[in-house]
Amino acid sequence: MRNDHDMTKGNITRHIIAYAIPMILGNILQLTYNAVDSMIISKYIGETALAAVSTSNPIMTIMILGASGVGMGASIIISRLYGAGEKERVKREFSTTAIFGLFFSLAVFLLGFALSGFILNLINTPRDVFPEANTYLRIMFVGFLFTFQYNIMSNCLRGIGDSRTPVVFLGISCVINVCLDLLFVAKLGMGVMGAGLATVIAEAVSVILSLIYIYYKVPLLSLSRKDFVVDRRLLKETVSFGFLTALQQAAQPIGKVFIQGAINAQGIAAMGAFNAVCRVDDFACIPAQSIGSGIMTGTAQNRGAGNYERVNKTLRNGFIVGLFYFPIILSVTLLFRTPIVKALTPDDSVEMIAMAVTALGVKAWVFSLATVVNAIQGHFRGMGKMNIVLMSTILQIGIRAIVVFAWVPSMGIVAEAYGTFIGWAAQTVFEYGLYFYLKRGYGKTAISK
């Protein structure tokens, strides 16, 4: 069985769907695991422990953004080199990124472990939560050594078109994590230390499995001693892509912090309703994001092969695949929004439920733009135009924040749904306008430079 996926030949639509399905399953699995993990901590350790873990989450998010940014940068470069048939440079890029990742993650671990208390004080962590938060955060910095390497290996596998194997290892990791949570937390009473150790061990297993799989099954990425080199040119390009990607990914949570502040001012009912809507939003956008990743890989491979006709067809066909998904998510959200919201909110919170149901009635239509936006962003990532993706994301989240602050006081949280629509619409016009401008003005080859 082939463990790579050449998207420069064959049916483009079939390639995108085959690539996207494992990523959809993997992202759903990750979100489900996160919910289960929180439930175990809340049930067996209590609110203080859950608060300690939650306090560490923003810091962990920043770390993961760095790892996923570098990983995506490597994925784009490997896709391009793979499409060009430059197999030795594919190995060189993998080696360069892995060595950089080792030293970078080691530096983050040493600094983070030493400064964890300072960081928690910086974000005003309450005194009663501080000891457990400090313990958990230090363990997470240890885990970052494995998180970074897994992100690199999984993204490099996706770069050669293998989106299935990383999901398999993610699934194994999630199962191990839940089992160890139940053992360490529920049975042995190890508290947040047990929860942290469970996560680190599960991440270490995923790294070991990925290494074994690549060594024995993926000769394209399997490294011998002579292959361990650092290519400065490739490193510079990888770090540049990674930095811009991390900034783009960070723009969303940073913007949401400001949006959350405006929502919080409306009271507990609004906060709970917004949280329920965000959870639905997370799940609903997974297919669009996964299709965008398929477009990114297909675009990068065909760019490397110099086939710009297929580059443009990849965007067009991926766009159409996304549009087929929209009626499905629209129907499901509109038909089942009430029972979904009730499952995510306390039974007696009538006002909270009403707010969330109303907001989802608007948000259901907004999901159409999620497919459109992710398609063009996947294209620009595959073309190496990370600066365009960054600028458009800042534009989108900025408009959303402005609308929320202006309209939420009078309209409630439904204003956030309208703000999302306006922000994504502006992003759509900006990115597609730029795409057609570049295509018209410079031709197919110039847009790739």
Side-chain angles (χ1 to χ4, degrees):
M1 182 179 66
R2 286 177 64 90
N3 43 47
D4 56 348
H5 192 182
D6 188 349
M7 300 174 78
T8 64
K9 303 171 185 175
N11 187 284
I12 293 173
T13 301
R14 192 174 300 146
H15 283 319
I16 293 171
I17 293 173
Y19 187 98
I21 288 175
M23 290 201 69
I24 292 170
L25 296 175
N27 286 323
I28 291 175
L29 177 65
Q30 185 67 60
L31 287 174
T32 303
Y33 157 71
N34 289 339
V36 172
D37 192 47
S38 295
M39 288 170 58
I40 292 173
I41 293 170
S42 177
K43 181 176 177 61
Y44 290 102
I45 316 179
E47 292 182 358
T48 302
L50 185 60
V53 173
S54 299
T55 299
S56 302
N57 280 339
I59 302 163
M60 293 161 53
T61 298
I62 293 172
M63 298 185 334
I64 292 171
L65 286 176
S68 63
V70 173
M72 185 176 290
S75 177
I76 294 167
I77 294 169
I78 281 181
S79 293
R80 189 186 71 221
L81 296 174
Y82 177 79
E86 299 182 40
K87 295 183 178 181
E88 286 305 312
R89 292 193 72 202
V90 167
K91 279 193 176 187
R92 187 174 287 258
E93 167 62 16
F94 181 50
S95 168
T96 297
T97 309
I99 293 171
F100 167 77
L102 177 63
F103 285 101
F104 181 80
S105 58
L106 185 61
V108 171
F109 155 64
L110 292 173
L111 283 171
F113 197 88
L115 300 175
S116 61
F118 172 77
I119 295 170
L120 290 171
N121 279 321
L122 203 62
I123 60 173
N124 298 318
T125 304
R127 289 294 96 193
D128 54 340
V129 174
F130 188 92
E132 289 184 308
N134 194 36
T135 298
Y136 187 79
L137 184 58
R138 282 187 165 183
I139 295 174
M140 288 302 99
F141 276 117
V142 175
F144 186 67
L145 294 167
F146 304 110
T147 300
F148 205 107
Q149 291 301 323
Y150 175 74
N151 266 278
I152 289 171
M153 286 186 282
S154 61
N155 274 287
C156 288
L157 285 170
R158 293 186 185 108
I160 61 172
D162 183 1
S163 62
R164 182 185 63 86
T165 302
V167 174
V168 173
F169 294 148
L170 175 63
I172 294 171
S173 175
C174 288
V175 171
I176 291 173
N177 204 334
V178 170
C179 291
L180 291 179
D181 268 339
L182 292 171
L183 174 63
F184 294 160
V185 176
K187 294 294 183 183
L188 301 180
M190 294 174 63
V192 295
M193 179 183 289
L197 288 174
T199 299
V200 172
I201 293 171
E203 288 175 342
V205 170
S206 67
V207 170
I208 293 170
L209 290 175
S210 298
L211 281 171
I212 294 172
Y213 177 79
I214 288 172
Y215 184 78
Y216 286 104
K217 297 292 185 179
V218 192
L220 193 58
L221 298 178
S222 181
L223 303 176
S224 62
R225 183 175 298 179
K226 67 179 178 63
D227 294 318
F228 281 96
V229 295
V230 174
D231 186 310
R232 292 186 178 182
R233 183 177 176 183
L234 288 174
L235 177 60
K236 182 180 179 181
E237 189 176 8
T238 303
V239 172
S240 175
F241 281 0
F243 177 71
L244 290 173
T245 300
L247 281 181
Q248 183 265 327
Q249 292 177 330
Q252 289 282 13
I254 290 171
K256 282 189 176 181
V257 168
F258 291 102
I259 291 171
Q260 184 73 58
I263 299 293
N264 290 350
Q266 304 306 304
I268 293 175
M271 292 169 62
F274 182 62
N275 179 65
V277 172
C278 285
R279 290 195 181 189
V280 176
D281 201 347
D282 288 341
F283 277 96
C285 290
I286 284 174
Q289 293 165 355
S290 301
I291 292 167
S293 293
I295 293 171
M296 179 190 78
T297 300
T299 297
Q301 286 191 12
N302 283 289
R303 177 192 173 199
N307 193 337
Y308 295 104
E309 182 179 355
R310 279 182 71 90
V311 164
N312 291 309
K313 283 184 178 179
T314 298
L315 173 59
R316 183 193 67 194
N317 291 20
F319 181 93
I320 293 171
V321 171
L323 289 185
F324 272 103
Y325 163 70
F326 169 61
I328 299 172
I329 190 59
L330 173 67
S331 301
V332 170
T333 306
L334 290 178
L335 290 173
F336 300 105
R337 54 184 167 150
T338 300
I340 290 172
V341 167
K342 286 183 176 179
L344 296 171
T345 54
D347 295 335
D348 57 348
S349 302
V350 178
E351 183 184 7
M352 186 184 297
I353 292 171
M355 285 182 181
V357 169
T358 301
L360 275 179
V362 176
K363 211 68 177 276
W365 296 94
V366 179
F367 295 144
S368 63
L369 288 175
T371 61
V372 173
V373 166
N374 278 278
I376 190 63
Q377 288 208 319
H379 170 81
F380 278 127
R381 285 193 178 107
M383 298 301 287
K385 299 290 185 179
M386 311 305 294
N387 56 333
I388 294 176
V389 179
L390 173 61
M391 287 188 296
S392 66
T393 301
I394 293 173
L395 171 69
Q396 172 258 123
I397 198 68
I399 290 174
R400 283 174 65 183
I402 291 170
V403 171
V404 165
F405 275 92
W407 291 359
V408 162
S410 59
M411 295 177 61
I413 70 163
V414 71
E416 191 277 333
Y418 287 115
T420 301
F421 183 85
I422 295 171
W424 282 359
Q427 185 175 14
T428 299
V429 171
F430 174 79
E431 290 186 311
Y432 280 94
L434 195 54
Y435 166 74
F436 285 111
Y437 172 77
L438 291 172
K439 183 182 175 185
R440 181 191 64 182
Y442 301 107
K444 294 176 181 178
T445 55
I447 194 173
S448 69
K449 292 180 181 178

